[in-house]
Amino acid sequence: MTAQVSEQPVAVGAPARKPERLHGLDMLRVLASCLVVFGHIAAYFTLSHQHWWLTDWVENELVGSLHLNANLGFLGVCTFLMISGVVVTHVTAREGPGTFLYRRVSRLLPLLWVITPLVWLLIDFGLQVSSTHDPHLGFGDLLSGMVLTNFFQTPQVGLVGVTWTLWMQIIFYCYVAAAIPLLRRIPWLAPTIMAAICFVTILFSTLSRNSTTGSLHMWAHQLGQWAVYLPVLCIGQLISLVHTRAVHRYAALAIGAVHVLLFVWADRIGGFTFQGNAMPRTLLVVTAVVLLMMRANGRISRSKVIAGWSRRTYAIYLVHLACLYPLMNALVPRVGPELAVLAGLAATALVSDLLHRFVEMPAERFLRTRRKRS
């Protein structure tokens, strides 16, 4: 078992800082959770060919003015991914590869393994828990959803639809765990190597589009989709390395520009992303906001409300569709959109809090105890 390592990243031109709590990122998690939930509420009205004054106002005033994706698509997900890149790089200063990977995966799986069966039951009872009505699912579909292989089935099974982003997280976690020695000695090299990997993967995926082998095309396309979103995490990693003075800001700017260009290139190729035509603009907006919030340390960012909400954002992310869509389908025709949306939000808040208290926290304590004993 790998021992926990406490050495700091090697500084470039300045002493490295001791990792501290980044309170501004807690505020960004809260904002990202609101954006993701709002995006799916807006998508509900769009897909059902209905209008609601709030979503129409956001579409006209914010989306139109800032030229973003419809329903603010990708804004929340991009924020979550970039924050993840910052945070997981931030903790490598005090965690060895084994501890790092164990803590990241054990953070994701317990809640996923509880929510997936619940969503599976809702689907089999005929309820809508995503943008589409899924057919009756078998036990094999449940098992594949719990290990995230449902996205490779034909036809594809959504289950907890937002879990497509967990694949990028897990791939990035594995890469960071393997790159911890680099991050402590030649930190700029880790995001540079990832840029080269993403370039080769996107190129291979693009060239395979003319393949007559269906399975090859499917896997190459999936790899290309992961490679498109991994630069978002790497930009977060670079922000973290500059924050701890492990990489000079000009070097980080050059490497980050490569990742942005990779993202723009894949967007121009097309076929990888599906959330709108303003993906590069959204990436730049999120990067600017994350940079601004890195040093936020005021009363609001340190408040108990923000801290508590931030700790529940993973639960909110996984469960909000299963709470919102069934209630909105039942209540919008009867009481109107305002009360239906409020009921869905209240259910999301309640279920997320219960899951955090009775699943996430006990699982975290149990796994931490086992880790210490090992």
Side-chain angles (χ1 to χ4, degrees), residues 10-232:
V10 178
V12 178
R17 299 177 181 176
K18 183 180 179 180
E20 76 279 1
R21 178 76 178 179
L22 300 172
H23 295 282
L25 297 188
D26 287 342
M27 289 185 65
L28 276 183
R29 285 192 188 94
V30 171
L31 175 62
S33 68
C34 294
L35 290 169
V36 168
V37 170
F38 173 82
H40 286 129
I41 291 173
Y44 171 86
F45 289 105
T46 300
L47 293 169
S48 59
H49 305 289
Q50 301 180 56
H51 288 278
W52 186 34
W53 63 269
L54 181 58
T55 56
D56 290 343
W57 181 86
V58 170
E59 199 70 17
N60 294 328
E61 300 300 326
L62 294 181
V63 172
S65 301
L66 299 176
H67 304 285
L68 298 174
N69 292 326
N71 301 328
L72 299 177
F74 187 55
L75 193 58
V77 169
C78 184
T79 304
F80 271 130
L81 291 177
M82 198 170 295
I83 290 172
S84 182
V86 174
V87 172
V88 300
T89 304
H90 197 65
V91 300
T92 56
R94 60 179 183 269
E95 293 179 1
T99 300
F100 171 86
L101 200 57
Y102 179 85
R103 293 190 65 179
R104 304 288 84 72
V105 175
S106 63
R107 170 81 171 88
L108 297 179
L109 292 184
L111 204 55
L112 177 68
W113 287 345
V114 170
I115 291 176
T116 301
L118 296 176
V119 172
W120 177 74
L121 288 173
L122 292 177
I123 292 172
D124 278 355
F125 280 124
L127 298 176
Q128 180 185 0
V129 295
S130 66
S131 57
T132 58
H133 283 280
D134 291 314
H136 180 81
L137 302 177
F139 188 68
D141 297 319
L142 169 62
L143 295 179
S144 65
M146 294 181 71
V147 294
L148 300 178
T149 58
N150 52 306
F151 296 104
F152 303 102
Q153 294 180 211
T154 304
Q156 192 178 89
V157 175
L159 271 175
V160 186
V162 295
T163 53
W164 66 271
T165 61
L166 297 186
W167 268 111
M168 271 79 74
Q169 302 268 27
I170 292 171
I171 292 170
F172 187 71
Y173 293 163
C174 293
Y175 179 76
V176 171
I180 282 178
L182 274 182
L183 288 168
R184 291 177 175 165
R185 293 173 175 81
I186 319 173
W188 60 268
L189 191 55
T192 304
I193 292 174
M194 179 57 81
I197 293 172
C198 290
F199 172 78
V200 172
T201 305
I202 295 170
L203 183 63
F204 168 72
S205 180
T206 304
L207 295 175
S208 72
R209 290 181 178 180
N210 296 324
S211 171
T212 57
T213 306
S215 59
L216 173 63
H217 173 73
M218 182 191 72
W219 278 98
H221 178 70
Q222 188 65 68
L223 290 172
Q225 286 187 313
W226 293 338
V228 169
Y229 291 105
L230 283 171
V232 181

Side-chain angles (χ1 to χ4, degrees), residues 4 11-12 73 81 157 180 201 228 235 263 270 275 294 307 318-319:
Q4 192 169 359
V12 178
L81 291 177
V157 175
I180 282 178
T201 305
V228 169
I235 292 170
F263 192 83
Q275 300 182 61
M294 283 293 293
L318 289 184
V319 83

Side-chain angles (χ1 to χ4, degrees), residues 226-347:
W226 293 338
V228 169
Y229 291 105
L230 283 171
V232 181
L233 290 142
C234 288
I235 292 170
Q237 182 175 71
L238 288 163
I239 292 173
S240 179
L241 292 173
V242 171
H243 179 77
T244 57
R245 297 179 182 174
V247 172
H248 195 281
R249 60 181 178 273
Y250 293 134
L253 183 63
I255 301 169
V258 173
H259 282 285
V260 171
L261 290 174
L262 279 171
F263 192 83
V264 173
W265 174 52
D267 181 69
R268 294 292 180 267
I269 293 172
F272 292 114
T273 61
F274 51 88
Q275 300 182 61
N277 298 320
M279 301 293 282
R281 181 187 296 270
T282 303
L283 175 65
L284 295 177
V285 168
V286 171
T287 303
V289 172
V290 172
L291 286 170
L292 287 172
M293 295 298 294
M294 283 293 293
R295 296 182 180 275
N297 198 28
R299 290 177 59 186
I300 297 177
S301 62
R302 299 174 69 93
S303 69
K304 292 182 179 180
V305 173
I306 294 296
W309 192 332
S310 175
R311 287 192 293 269
R312 289 160 175 79
T313 50
Y314 180 50
I316 293 170
Y317 188 71
L318 289 184
V319 83
H320 71 278
L321 279 172
C323 292
L324 284 168
Y325 278 25
L327 282 172
M328 291 175 70
N329 278 328
L331 296 178
V332 167
R334 294 173 174 82
V335 300
E338 288 80 10
L339 291 178
V341 170
L342 285 175
L345 293 176

